[in-house]
Amino acid sequence: MTLLAVQNLQKIYQNRFGGAQVEALKQVSFTVEKGEYLAIMGESGSGKTTLLNILATLDKPTRGEVLLSGNKMSNLKDQALTDFRREHLGFVFQDYNLLDTFSLKDNILLPLVLARMPYDEMIARLTPIAAKLDILPLLDKFPYEVSGGQKQRAAVARALITHPDLLLADEPTGALDSKSTEQLLKQFSTINAEGQTILMVTHSTKAACHAKRVLFIRDGEVFHQLYRGNLSQDQFYNRISDTLSVLATGGQLYDKAE
Amino acid sequence: MTKQSNISLYAKLAKSNLVKNKQIYLPFALMNIFLVAMFLIIRTISLDPGMAKMSGGGTLKMLMGFGVGVLVIFSAVLVFYTNGFLMKRRKREIGLYNILGFSKRHIAKMMSIETGILATLCTAIGVFSGLVLMRLMHLMLLKLTGYPITLGMPISLQAMGETTGLFFLYFIVVTLYNLTHITFAKPIELVRGSQVGEREPKTRVLLALSGVIALAGAYYFAVTVESPIQAITVFFLAVIAVIYGTYALFTTGSIALLKILRRNHAIYYRIQYFSVISGMLYRMKQHAAGLATLCILSTMVMISVSTTVSLYAGLEDSLDKNYPREISILVNDAPVEILRDLQGHMTEQAEAAGVTLKNAVTSKSYFLITKWDNANRAFEVVEDFSPMEILPLQLMDKVTYEGLYGDIGTFEKPILATDDTRILSYYSTEGADHAIDVSDESLALEKVMSLPQNVTSQIGVGAMLVFADFSEMESFYKRVSNDPAYGLMLSVSADVEGSETSVQGFSNWLKAHEYDQQDTYFSRVESKAAARKEFTDFYGGMLFLGIFLGLLFLAATVIIMYYKQITEGYEDQSRYETMQKVGMHHREIKQAIGTQTIIVFFLPLVVATIHIAFSFNIVKKMLAIFNFTNVNLFVFCSIATSMAFALVYLFFYRLTAKTYFRLVKWHA
């Protein structure tokens, strides 16, 4: 079942004084099936963060349509959009975006508090998710007291606690050391195996190779797509690297070699 | 690069920094301009040579001098405190300058130029505004104190010089402080500075307990104090205790309360309280001091304005109490026979001056300095003046009493009149047949009653003994008093009718022609008109000062509120952005901000009102020293002042809440 459908997305940023126009996204179209684990790769300035913001309803496209479970995002306005975002989407940012005035527990519960859920129900949801992400003993601590990896896992818990249809992640391993990165990516794979649809934007090949499908974006367009299929992680890593090299050199390298 | 272009680079940077940060520098500049103007005005007035020459001018000069002193300290504190807010916001910017290659020395040069520009602008505009406003203020002062309005605007170069010098000094000191701070900080600390989180505050039981004790103690003593003179000492101690208690309780009590609320899941995990409670808990340590300061300032504004307004409004009332007739001649410590001579003397002088005397009345009374011994239920005549304990006991005869206070009825044995609750409670538990013990002398009483409404006395009368005839009073006095002299206080008073000049002439005449027939008795002349002038000068001056300081404290309160909110707004920007991304509506944010702002703004006001309520008794007693006993007027003035203050407060609260919301609002 198609969970997410992106159709002919275009985003133009207009300079305030009517000057230069920046076309961040040209013509992006793709679909995401339920239960998929998709990575979107690209250099800085390729438009991937813009794309993610639009998917997360944090920004509106200039042209084109985004449909989640068949619902057009453009039909929703203001409060309805905010509610929709809260109920159907979960996101993880690169810099965690945890609130420093709340304990980890309260940070994770925030979306449920916004949904006016009773306390007992909230705790019932919190405990298994926290256990799975290995942060159960840390719940009463504050962000300043825990490591980057632990903070990110709390952010993931916050994203998952609403049982979202789609989990969006923007460079989730960007601020983490290699050990924490590995741990987080393993956990992403686990929750995907349990049925959670994940869409991750990243420029790290290591992160992307954990996904099942990778989209490559360059200059606001989808350039290429790779399916993992039966490849091992290392093999997938190499294929992705190759594609990236082509992306970077515009194919000249291989031409010259010949 | 030449030195010339170096300086112009710094100047350009300094200027652009100020403009870029105008949201925080503009209020700072406005506040300084206000302070400069206020200082110039009050300094000029205090230096005005014309004032010293006028009667009562000495008191006025002293009052203004006091105002200047308060302003010097107050401005210093305010400039320093608001500088803290400014620097907090700029730390990151300065850290970046440092990292990008601006050495600490360059930064120092740049900041010095910034300060130079600010100082020059603020003092120049402030002095100018002060000169313009001065005319207004001077008019107000003169209207209040009843002086004839002088011509010409008093421009005092000395005051201008002092004002400029003082504020430049403040700016220099503050800049040096900032530079020292920056010099010793690592650039990376500066950049991260504004994001470093505070730890969650601990509950400090000891501080809370001591605060409660201080406050409870102050309240208790303020409510139970009896004598006006006792009231003064108690007041100053109580003020210190209340200040300490307020700070202690704001710091600890608020944290304790918030933690209790947080533990209550039913309340805490609701969106309108969720972010507010945790946010406030997080901030409490730094904000408690600010809130307590606002509370104290509010209390001071309300008390200083309500008391000075009451005194001024009740002026005629006080005069009537203190001076039952227009002119009095008083002789202390003379034999009773002098009274006839005194009356004759006054009538003669009246004829000579061409005025008519009306409603003449004489008085014969004694004053005993006593102490109420609660253990032995007796009055004890004391020699030394320990102000905490004394109870002035006035003895007077029936004729005197009725001349001053009206009919008292017939009686044989003496009547005791008092409002002292200890004495009254003692006598109400005894049988109908009372007796009063005064230093081993026992005196049977007719009855015990309250003091008359319009009791007159300079130091306040604690109790009064009214005797049926003079000789009985005289012999009683001689028995109980250790005074070798007569001790008798005589006076002859009358209203004077005639043209204003002749009435004035009469009192001057009396003063010039002192009653000193036997050159042994000390007599003095009291004139209600002269007293009115003095009172008007003094109370008018006090009212001016009260309003002046009230305005000042109000301005300070408003500025501090604004800065706190703006600082919080900046700090909260990223938090609210995250919360909006996670799914918080604008409506819910407005609600949360509303709740928070109300608590932050009105908590100090509410506590200030509680302080005022408990201070009512002691302030009332102190006002009695000024012979102000019109309780209803005081209540009215207090309520009116509080309401006016609350309204201004409310206005500024809405203004800052709007600014705060604008800062944290975020749109997709």
Side-chain angles (χ1 to χ4, degrees):
Chain A
M1 184 197 112
T2 306
L3 185 66
L4 183 72
V6 177
Q7 299 167 347
N8 308 316
L9 219 55
Q10 186 189 31
K11 178 70 185 181
I12 299 177
Y13 286 115
Q14 183 88 19
N15 188 304
R16 226 181 346 169
F17 301 104
Q21 281 188 343
V22 177
E23 199 173 16
L25 294 174
K26 284 206 181 87
Q27 259 287 356
V28 176
S29 297
F30 62 92
T31 57
V32 179
E33 302 294 309
K34 194 164 188 306
E36 271 210 82
Y37 187 173
L38 175 70
I40 300 181
M41 286 197 77
E43 301 267 302
S44 331
S46 57
K48 57 187 203 291
T49 303
T50 310
L51 175 62
L52 193 78
N53 281 341
I54 292 176
L55 294 179
T57 72
L58 300 174
D59 195 1
K60 285 193 167 64
T62 315
R63 231 173 289 178
E65 207 51 74
V66 177
L67 293 103
L68 191 70
S69 303
N71 301 311
K72 280 193 187 169
M73 303 289 220
S74 57
N75 287 344
L76 298 169
K77 296 269 186 290
D78 298 328
Q79 317 295 41
L81 191 62
T82 311
D83 288 336
F84 182 84
R85 183 193 315 142
R86 196 184 61 226
E87 285 158 27
H88 297 276
L89 300 171
F91 21 83
V92 181
F93 305 94
Q94 179 175 348
D95 44 5
Y96 334 125
N97 267 4
L98 291 178
L99 296 167
D100 46 3
T101 58
F102 288 118
S103 62
L104 291 190
K105 168 180 163 194
D106 288 340
N107 260 296
I108 300 170
L109 291 178
L110 178 60
L112 297 183
V113 175
L114 286 169
R116 291 173 167 77
M117 193 176 280
Y119 182 71
D120 298 322
E121 241 185 275
M122 294 199 285
I123 292 294
R125 283 207 195 185
L126 173 66
T127 319
I129 292 179
K132 192 188 315 190
L133 288 165
D134 217 1
I135 50 172
L136 205 51
L138 301 173
L139 285 180
D140 285 327
K141 294 217 188 280
F142 280 79
Y144 70 83
E145 291 177 289
V146 299
S147 73
Q150 291 163 330
K151 278 195 270 218
Q152 193 63 299
R153 299 207 301 272
V156 173
R158 177 177 68 189
L160 292 177
I161 203 166
T162 54
H163 298 167
D165 297 335
L166 180 62
L167 176 67
L168 298 164
D170 187 0
E171 304 278 8
T173 59
L176 303 178
D177 61 70
S178 58
K179 183 157 172 265
S180 310
T181 302
E182 196 54 51
Q183 194 175 22
L184 186 72
L185 292 170
K186 269 214 188 90
Q187 275 160 346
F188 269 25
S189 299
T190 311
I191 50 183
N192 175 246
E194 290 172 2
Q196 177 69 51
T197 317
I198 302 179
L199 195 158
M200 175 171 64
V201 161
T202 184
H203 67 263
S204 149
T205 314
K206 180 170 172 165
C209 72
H210 283 73
K212 303 238 189 69
R213 174 158 71 113
V214 181
L215 278 177
F216 295 88
I217 289 198
R218 179 179 155 170
D219 295 332
E221 283 178 296
V222 175
F223 185 82
H224 190 50
Q225 191 171 232
L226 282 178
Y227 281 89
R228 183 164 163 188
N230 294 322
L231 292 173
S232 73
Q233 213 162 49
D234 288 336
Q235 288 172 322
F236 198 35
Y237 185 97
N238 289 327
R239 288 221 44 205
I240 295 172
S241 291
D242 290 343
T243 312
L244 285 176
S245 311
V246 174
L247 207 79
T249 61
Q252 304 291 357
L253 186 65
Y254 290 96
D255 288 344
K256 278 221 169 85
E258 264 166 58
Chain B
M1 257 210 268
T2 64
K3 188 127 193 213
Q4 190 65 20
S5 66
N6 262 353
I7 293 178
S8 70
L9 171 69
Y10 295 133
K12 277 211 192 93
L13 275 172
K15 229 170 47 169
S16 81
N17 282 341
L18 290 177
V19 171
K20 249 192 313 172
N21 286 310
K22 71 169 183 275
Q23 188 159 31
I24 50 171
Y25 271 110
L26 199 58
F28 182 74
L30 284 174
M31 177 194 84
N32 274 298
I33 290 173
F34 179 72
L35 287 174
V36 168
M38 283 275 148
F39 188 84
L40 178 68
I41 291 173
I42 204 163
R43 186 67 181 136
T44 310
I45 293 179
S46 82
L47 286 175
D48 188 5
M51 179 174 295
K53 289 196 208 112
M54 301 176 194
S55 74
T59 336
L60 213 55
K61 208 168 147 73
M62 178 202 77
L63 282 175
M64 293 300 139
F66 175 74
V68 169
V70 168
L71 201 45
V72 168
I73 298 176
F74 193 70
S75 305
V77 169
L78 211 57
V79 170
F80 202 75
Y81 184 69
T82 47
N83 175 66
F85 285 114
L86 290 170
M87 274 302 120
K88 214 164 147 197
R89 293 248 41 91
R90 296 206 59 201
K91 265 195 179 149
R92 187 158 176 271
E93 179 189 338
I94 292 170
L96 272 173
Y97 274 126
N98 199 194
I99 292 175
L100 290 172
F102 237 41
S103 80
K104 297 265 169 79
R105 186 171 293 174
H106 296 147
I107 293 178
K109 279 202 190 123
M110 182 184 77
M111 289 184 70
S112 307
I113 298 185
E114 281 175 16
T115 311
I117 297 176
L118 260 179
T120 315
L121 272 175
C122 289
T123 25
I125 299 178
V127 165
F128 179 73
S129 323
L131 287 174
V132 167
L133 273 177
M134 183 134 62
R135 190 75 176 118
L136 198 72
M137 289 260 149
H138 213 236
L139 270 171
M140 178 170 110
L141 176 64
L142 298 181
K143 267 245 151 62
L144 285 176
T145 61
Y147 285 147
I149 297 175
T150 55
L151 297 158
M153 191 154 60
I155 297 183
S156 159
L157 287 174
Q158 180 187 349
M160 285 165 72
E162 282 181 11
T163 312
T164 315
L166 184 71
F167 278 86
F168 262 88
L169 181 69
Y170 289 155
F171 276 103
I172 291 174
V173 168
V174 147
T175 310
L176 284 174
Y177 172 80
N178 291 337
L179 288 177
T180 320
H181 232 256
I182 290 173
T183 314
F184 290 113
K186 301 196 200 78
I188 199 70
E189 278 172 9
L190 288 175
V191 172
R192 290 237 197 90
S194 36
Q195 289 155 346
V196 164
E198 274 183 37
R199 315 273 126 146
E200 186 183 273
K202 298 196 252 285
T203 348
R204 286 179 284 177
V205 182
L206 210 63
L207 191 62
L209 222 58
S210 62
V212 171
I213 293 174
L215 216 51
Y219 283 170
Y220 175 75
F221 282 113
V223 169
T224 57
V225 77
E226 282 293 346
S227 91
I229 305 197
Q230 211 175 355
I232 300 182
T233 329
V234 171
F235 185 75
F236 282 111
L237 291 174
V239 163
I240 295 175
V242 163
I243 291 181
Y244 175 77
T246 309
Y247 276 100
L249 282 183
F250 263 95
T251 322
T252 59
S254 51
I255 292 174
L257 186 68
L258 287 170
K259 282 195 176 168
I260 291 173
L261 284 173
R262 194 172 61 172
R263 250 173 274 166
N264 184 333
H265 292 152
I267 296 179
Y268 181 54
Y269 286 104
R270 294 171 59 178
I271 194 55
Q272 59 263 49
Y273 302 127
F274 194 48
S275 57
V276 170
I277 293 177
S278 62
M280 285 180 73
L281 198 58
Y282 176 77
R283 294 207 153 98
M284 247 330 153
K285 212 168 71 180
Q286 53 175 165
H287 286 355
L291 288 178
T293 311
L294 286 179
C295 176
I296 302 283
L297 281 177
S298 308
T299 319
M300 279 158 72
V301 171
M302 293 199 271
I303 289 188
S304 64
V305 173
S306 66
T307 48
T308 51
V309 167
S310 300
L311 282 174
Y312 190 78
L315 197 126
E316 207 53 45
D317 218 41
S318 291
L319 274 177
D320 286 343
K321 290 204 168 88
N322 231 348
Y323 300 90
R325 301 287 186 276
E326 279 296 327
I327 298 270
S328 302
I329 306 179
L330 298 94
V331 179
N332 285 359
D333 209 24
V336 65
E337 296 79 38
I338 298 291
L339 200 57
R340 198 128 293 177
D341 293 339
L342 212 57
Q343 280 174 299
H345 172 80
M346 194 175 206
T347 324
E348 271 172 42
Q349 301 299 333
E351 276 178 37
V355 294
T356 341
L357 295 176
K358 291 234 149 94
N359 304 326
V361 75
T362 63
S363 105
K364 308 186 274 290
S365 64
Y366 291 99
F367 251 100
L368 282 171
I369 307 295
T370 70
K371 210 167 77 162
W372 172 250
D373 186 348
N374 214 27
N376 297 324
R377 317 285 200 200
F379 287 89
E380 195 188 303
V381 177
V382 292
E383 296 283 285
D384 43 72
F385 260 69
S386 116
M388 293 288 289
E389 300 285 320
I390 61 163
L391 193 80
L393 177 64
Q394 189 176 26
L395 309 176
M396 57 172 63
D397 64 353
K398 182 174 191 293
V399 169
T400 307
Y401 184 93
E402 291 189 332
L404 289 170
Y405 305 123
D407 203 40
I408 197 176
T410 45
F411 58 98
E412 274 182 31
K413 292 177 276 189
I415 296 177
L416 175 67
T418 184
D419 285 333
D420 191 308
T421 46
R422 300 167 295 175
I423 304 174
L424 281 176
S425 71
Y426 166 59
Y427 280 104
S428 67
T429 59
E430 301 288 290
D433 230 7
H434 310 307
I436 181 174
D437 293 310
V438 181
S439 289
D440 303 328
E441 281 287 327
S442 197
L443 196 68
L445 292 174
E446 180 83 19
K447 63 173 176 178
V448 178
M449 68 180 199
S450 301
L451 285 171
Q453 271 287 38
N454 48 339
V455 95
T456 72
S457 173
Q458 275 340 148
I459 52 170
V461 173
M464 214 186 267
L465 261 181
V466 188
F467 289 83
D469 69 70
F470 175 74
S471 48
E472 200 189 329
M473 178 170 78
E474 191 180 20
S475 61
F476 176 74
Y477 179 78
K478 290 207 161 88
R479 291 202 307 275
V480 297
S481 156
N482 307 320
D483 191 356
Y486 288 108
L488 185 60
M489 293 168 63
L490 298 166
S491 78
V492 172
S493 315
D495 285 330
V496 183
E497 241 176 54
S499 66
E500 202 175 308
T501 37
S502 44
V503 170
Q504 179 78 0
F506 177 55
S507 93
N508 294 342
W509 186 269
L510 271 183
K511 284 204 169 103
H513 297 76
E514 292 271 314
Y515 178 80
D516 55 355
Q517 275 197 351
Q518 275 160 356
D519 224 348
T520 331
Y521 309 115
F522 176 65
S523 79
R524 69 180 191 281
V525 174
E526 281 180 1
S527 135
K528 191 173 186 178
R532 182 179 289 112
K533 187 132 204 342
E534 260 182 60
F535 277 29
T536 319
D537 292 350
F538 186 67
Y539 293 152
M542 280 195 77
L543 178 61
F544 178 79
L545 205 61
I547 293 182
F548 188 83
L549 289 178
L551 274 176
L552 212 63
F553 294 144
L554 188 64
T557 308
V558 159
I559 273 269
I560 292 177
M561 289 195 314
Y562 178 79
Y563 270 124
K564 275 167 47 59
Q565 287 301 95
I566 297 305
T567 310
E568 281 182 38
Y570 277 114
E571 284 173 5
D572 285 346
Q573 262 174 339
S574 53
R575 280 193 208 116
Y576 274 104
E577 184 177 325
T578 304
M579 288 204 274
Q580 284 171 93
K581 281 187 178 162
V582 174
M584 196 168 182
H585 297 169
H586 278 180
R587 186 177 20 112
E588 286 160 342
I589 292 184
K590 273 207 181 112
Q591 251 182 340
I593 293 177
T595 315
Q596 182 178 306
T597 329
I598 286 183
I599 295 175
V600 165
F601 273 42
F602 286 99
L603 195 61
L605 197 63
V606 164
V607 177
T609 315
I610 296 178
H611 287 336
I612 303 251
F614 276 99
S615 77
F616 187 75
N617 179 54
I618 193 170
V619 174
K620 190 179 71 165
K621 288 275 151 64
M622 291 202 301
L623 286 175
I625 297 177
F626 293 99
N627 263 290
F628 178 90
T629 50
N630 191 340
V631 177
N632 294 335
L633 181 61
F634 179 53
V635 170
F636 176 76
C637 288
S638 300
I639 294 180
T641 316
S642 308
M643 285 181 67
F645 186 75
L647 276 168
V648 177
Y649 211 69
L650 185 76
F651 173 73
F652 280 103
Y653 142 73
R654 293 188 67 150
L655 197 69
T656 34
K658 274 209 184 103
T659 320
Y660 185 93
F661 182 67
R662 244 189 300 129
L663 277 176
V664 301
K665 194 169 61 169
W666 172 83
H667 250 298

